[in-house]
Amino acid sequence: MAKTKSAYFCQNCGYESPKWMGQCPSCKQWNSFVEEVVEKTSSKVPEWRSTTTTGNAKRANKAAIIHEIVYQDESRILTPDQEFNRVLGGGIVPGSLVLIGGEPGIGKSTLMLQLALSIPQVKTLYISGEESEQQIKMRAERLSQSSKANCYILTETATQNIFKQIETVQPNVIVIDSIQTLHSSQIESAPGSVSQVRECTAELLRFAKETSTPVFIVGHITKDGSIAGPKVLEHMVDTVLQFEGDRHHVYRILRAVKNRFGSASELGIYEMQGSGLREVSNPSEIMISQRDEPVSGVSIAAMLEGMRPMMIEVQALVSNSAFGTAQRSSTGYDTKRLNMLLAVLEKRFGFRLSAQDVFLNIAGGLRVEDPAIDLAVIVAIISSQQDIPIQSNLTFAGEVGLSGEIRAVNRIEQRIQEAEKLGFDGIFISKFNTKGLDAKKYNIAIRPVAKLEDIFSALFG
């Protein structure tokens, strides 16, 4: 008979303790320990292992010199979704374990079902612990891709039953929606607890590595935006993807937070429609508004979102304050950095902005952290205050320092190429970015500047 015992687990990081503690010694969180019943089954064989292999002793691994290891470049599974392939690093790697997190209702289940339905040459098993078969069928009909799909649907939460169905179906790709609903018979605790999430993920990890079957796991997130469950969950998987976006906007961003098979700075952009998620191959065109006449307070920034260059529209509005204290409001941009730039304008160049309200907006609902848009933010603010429109064929890329200097930014060549591809006539960059830059090979006027005075004299006279 298996020996059972009770242990205490930290709900934040998964730290295990034989007794309750007020503060977790690992993550320093208070009152995070919860008692769970743990069953130790050292002799029990996982359900997914076949009877032919369990009777044989497993050969122990031996150390090998690195230059003697034979590397085999396995072919990836390419999906019709080019954005998804880019984020994964070029396609689905056999035997990989991918974790996808995001807010409720952001479209995680839609993205995964759309992936399962879009690869008819690959047998896919979609396992749902949250929805019934009829609900999944309704979404598949809305996506209009279920007629030719080679996709099997399973509504189950017990891992032993799931692995039995896996042996029967023999799928090439597995989708779990979601990991918080699964429970293993080896752990006597509620689904979604730290021990259950860790054990179920460990079983899926062993299955993926020993059978070379890629597994996608959908995970819930907490109110602070981190993936629910123990932090060790993100360390166990090969890739962590974050599905972000505002539910009031139609655009979604699939961001790679961790990726063992590619860059962790890639992202994919989607547009949420009634028929599902549509990939956006050129996000710069949708982020820039089309106007018949130039408007003051609008500038275009050449930014990098991860590894991807794009043009975004920065909108600013400066008006006289009706109250004693001026308002500072920004959407999609750090308010503290906005206050810093306003202080630079007032201290170094004499712009009286302390008695004026300043509102800043990044068009398209994006959240931008690239410091290279500082120059475009300042240009938009001064354009709105002076009521002087900026030419729509100009773009800006530069970080602004506290003394008013324009600092160099990274990967300036990609920013210039993106601006050239979209038909811009000129781009303002830092003078310190011109070292080693061959301006003659671009069909766009590169205008290097060193200080904000150079920008003001060129644009506002």
Side-chain angles (χ1 to χ4, degrees):
M1 184 175 179
K3 182 181 179 182
T4 61
K5 73 171 185 176
S6 177
Y8 292 85
F9 291 90
C10 174
Q11 298 297 303
N12 184 55
C13 67
Y15 181 84
E16 181 180 355
S17 173
K19 62 179 181 179
W20 185 87
M21 291 187 292
Q23 185 186 33
C24 176
S26 177
C27 64
K28 306 302 179 182
Q29 288 290 323
W30 287 93
N31 299 324
S32 60
F33 277 92
V34 174
E35 183 180 10
E36 296 177 5
V37 178
V38 181
E39 180 180 359
K40 299 296 183 179
T41 55
S42 57
S43 60
K44 189 171 181 179
V45 179
E47 294 288 344
W48 53 266
R49 290 188 176 176
S50 61
T51 57
T52 58
T53 58
T54 55
N56 300 328
K58 185 177 179 180
R59 182 177 60 87
N61 294 327
K62 297 181 179 180
I65 302 178
I66 187 170
H67 67 266
E68 295 180 354
I69 300 176
V70 179
Y71 170 71
Q72 296 179 353
D73 191 6
E74 297 181 352
S75 59
R76 301 187 181 218
I77 302 175
L78 296 178
T79 68
D81 191 342
Q82 299 301 323
E83 297 293 302
F84 197 77
N85 292 336
R86 177 190 292 111
V87 174
L88 290 179
I92 304 174
V93 178
S96 61
L97 187 62
V98 182
L99 174 63
I100 300 178
E103 294 183 357
I106 203 68
K108 303 184 298 295
S109 299
T110 302
L111 177 65
M112 287 293 94
L113 183 59
Q114 192 168 310
L115 169 69
L117 298 176
S118 63
I119 322 175
Q121 70 275 12
V122 176
K123 186 187 296 185
T124 307
L125 178 60
Y126 187 93
I127 303 170
S128 176
E130 301 176 342
E131 297 177 292
S132 63
E133 296 178 353
Q134 290 75 19
Q135 290 176 311
I136 300 175
K137 177 64 176 179
M138 289 173 57
R139 187 189 297 122
E141 291 297 331
R142 177 168 58 88
L143 298 177
S144 303
Q145 296 179 356
S146 60
S147 58
K148 299 180 181 179
N150 190 10
C151 178
Y152 291 79
I153 305 298
L154 174 63
T155 56
E156 183 60 65
T157 57
T159 56
Q160 61 269 23
N161 298 333
I162 289 175
F163 286 124
K164 289 179 181 179
Q165 289 296 316
I166 289 176
E167 291 183 359
T168 303
V169 178
Q170 295 292 323
N172 304 111
V173 176
I174 298 175
V175 177
I176 306 292
D177 186 13
S178 63
I179 189 62
Q180 278 78 15
T181 61
L182 299 189
H183 64 89
S184 173
S185 60
Q186 302 190 43
I187 300 293
E188 292 185 357
S189 59
S193 60
V194 171
S195 55
Q196 281 287 3
V197 170
R198 183 171 53 189
E199 178 63 26
C200 294
T201 305
E203 292 182 9
L204 292 171
L205 177 63
R206 290 192 295 266
F207 166 79
K209 297 306 178 183
E210 296 194 13
T211 63
S212 297
T213 304
V215 179
F216 290 87
I217 299 176
V218 176
H220 298 168
I221 66 170
T222 58
K223 60 182 180 180
D224 60 352
S226 59
I227 297 178
K231 193 65 178 178
V232 71
L233 175 63
E234 300 181 34
H235 294 282
M236 294 171 65
V237 300
D238 298 314
T239 305
V240 179
L241 305 180
Q242 195 80 17
F243 206 36
E244 305 172 352
D246 190 347
R247 286 187 292 179
H248 302 290
H249 291 80
V250 296
Y251 299 111
R252 306 285 190 268
I253 294 178
L254 183 64
R255 191 188 309 272
V257 181
K258 168 190 175 182
N259 193 358
R260 290 173 178 167
F261 309 112
S263 173
S265 301
E266 286 288 357
L267 62 87
I269 300 180
Y270 295 88
E271 180 182 3
M272 178 63 78
Q273 298 179 341
S275 58
L277 293 165
R278 183 187 69 86
E279 54 181 314
V280 179
S281 57
N282 192 0
S284 300
E285 294 181 352
I286 62 177
M287 298 299 174
I288 300 177
S289 303
Q290 303 296 328
R291 295 184 176 88
D292 296 331
E293 298 179 357
V295 181
S296 63
V298 177
S299 63
I300 308 299
M303 61 160 288
L304 281 176
E305 186 67 31
M307 303 285 291
R308 191 170 189 176
M310 63 177 68
M311 303 290 116
I312 62 169
E313 182 177 299
V314 180
Q315 301 173 347
L317 178 62
V318 180
S319 62
N320 293 327
S321 177
F323 306 98
T325 304
Q327 299 184 60
R328 302 287 186 261
S329 177
S330 63
T331 304
Y333 188 74
D334 188 11
T335 306
K336 294 182 180 180
R337 193 164 187 87
L338 173 62
N339 293 331
M340 184 197 74
L341 297 180
L342 294 177
V344 170
L345 291 175
E346 185 152 355
K347 175 70 174 180
R348 302 293 183 185
F349 305 102
F351 289 99
R352 300 302 177 186
L353 297 171
S354 58
Q356 293 180 305
D357 296 336
V358 180
F359 303 93
L360 188 70
N361 177 49
I362 305 298
L366 284 180
R367 177 73 184 175
V368 181
E369 298 179 354
D370 188 2
I373 74 167
D374 289 350
L375 189 56
V377 169
I378 283 186
V379 169
I381 291 173
I382 302 304
S383 172
S384 177
Q385 190 204 39
Q386 303 293 326
D387 199 17
I388 300 176
I390 304 297
Q391 299 180 23
S392 59
N393 59 353
L394 296 178
T395 183
F396 306 87
E399 179 184 357
V400 178
L402 293 180
S403 61
E405 81 278 9
I406 302 177
R407 300 170 57 87
V409 296
N410 60 339
R411 300 172 64 188
I412 191 64
E413 294 87 358
Q414 290 185 264
R415 304 175 194 263
I416 297 175
Q417 291 173 2
E418 181 71 11
E420 180 184 4
K421 183 178 67 176
L422 295 177
F424 286 90
D425 296 334
I427 178 172
F428 284 88
I429 65 173
S430 173
K431 183 183 72 173
F432 307 102
N433 268 128
T434 57
K435 184 178 180 180
L437 181 66
D438 187 8
K440 296 181 180 179
K441 67 178 183 179
Y442 301 107
N443 294 323
I444 182 175
I446 299 176
R447 306 178 67 173
V449 287
K451 299 177 293 184
L452 285 177
E453 294 96 324
D454 303 334
I455 290 283
F456 297 151
S457 60
L459 297 178
F460 309 111

